[in-house]
Amino acid sequence: MSLSTLIMDEMKTAMRAKDTVALEALRAIKSELLLAQTATGSKEEISEDDEVKLLQKLVKTRKESARIFTEQNRLDLAEPELAQIAVIEKFLPAQLSEAEVETVIAAIIAETGATGIASMGKVMGLAAAKLGGTAEGKTISTIVKKLLT
């Protein structure tokens, strides 16, 4: 079942339950999916990788907003953002722990024989491809830097 279909089903459920936070998050996902699909100009669905990237972008945006609201002591605004993150993350693949990411990156470094920070781009490219949507780019970058220095 495509992500668009899942989102529509979840939206119907949220409407029936009068869950405004979930509904807002689901509408944001639907909107981003439509924008991504129309940006390519095709009638076809966007790829699964693009869907994961889009969902990660939505989560990242909400995390940043929640962080800013919390810093400004606006918990009334931060809480809905955090609730929306939980709704969006249901559609993402399971995220790996930092230890699991570190193991994968260490294997990539061993395979490529990368040494020093100059090899970071090469390792990042392979790590991003291998880890796909199972780890955030920031986490991958931090671990690569740590292991190459």
Side-chain angles (χ1 to χ4, degrees):
M1 191 181 300
S2 74
L3 182 60
S4 298
T5 309
L6 283 172
I7 296 300
M8 289 304 293
D9 291 344
E10 288 290 322
M11 282 178 68
K12 290 174 189 173
T13 305
M15 282 183 207
R16 287 185 194 114
K18 296 184 181 1
D19 186 353
T20 57
V21 174
L23 193 56
E24 190 174 332
L26 294 167
R27 283 181 174 150
I29 295 170
K30 183 181 175 194
S31 171
E32 287 293 323
L33 283 172
L34 285 171
L35 285 172
Q37 189 176 350
T38 55
T40 61
S42 67
K43 299 255 186 230
E44 298 172 14
E45 296 281 324
I46 61 173
S47 71
E48 218 173 287
D49 288 341
D50 290 338
E51 289 174 347
V52 169
K53 287 177 186 173
L54 186 135
L55 292 172
Q56 286 177 326
K57 182 182 124 192
L58 289 170
V59 168
K60 183 178 177 183
T61 305
R62 278 160 181 72
K63 281 182 180 178
E64 181 65 18
S65 296
R67 184 188 62 76
I68 291 169
F69 291 143
T70 304
E71 285 175 1
Q72 296 175 350
N73 259 354
R74 293 296 311 264
L75 297 179
D76 59 317
L77 297 175
E79 288 173 7
E81 296 290 328
L82 296 172
Q84 286 184 25
I85 290 170
V87 172
I88 296 168
E89 284 180 337
K90 287 194 306 187
F91 301 101
L92 282 170
Q95 299 293 299
L96 297 175
S97 69
E98 284 193 28
E100 293 169 319
V101 173
E102 191 167 333
T103 305
V104 171
I105 292 173
I108 291 170
I109 291 173
E111 277 177 30
T112 60
T115 56
I117 204 76
S119 305
M120 185 171 173
K122 180 179 178 182
V123 174
M124 280 295 296
L126 293 171
K130 190 166 190 171
L131 294 170
T134 58
E136 286 184 0
K138 186 176 182 181
T139 305
I140 296 171
S141 174
T142 304
I143 293 173
V144 169
K145 280 181 189 172
K146 182 176 94 175
L147 294 176
L148 286 179
T149 52

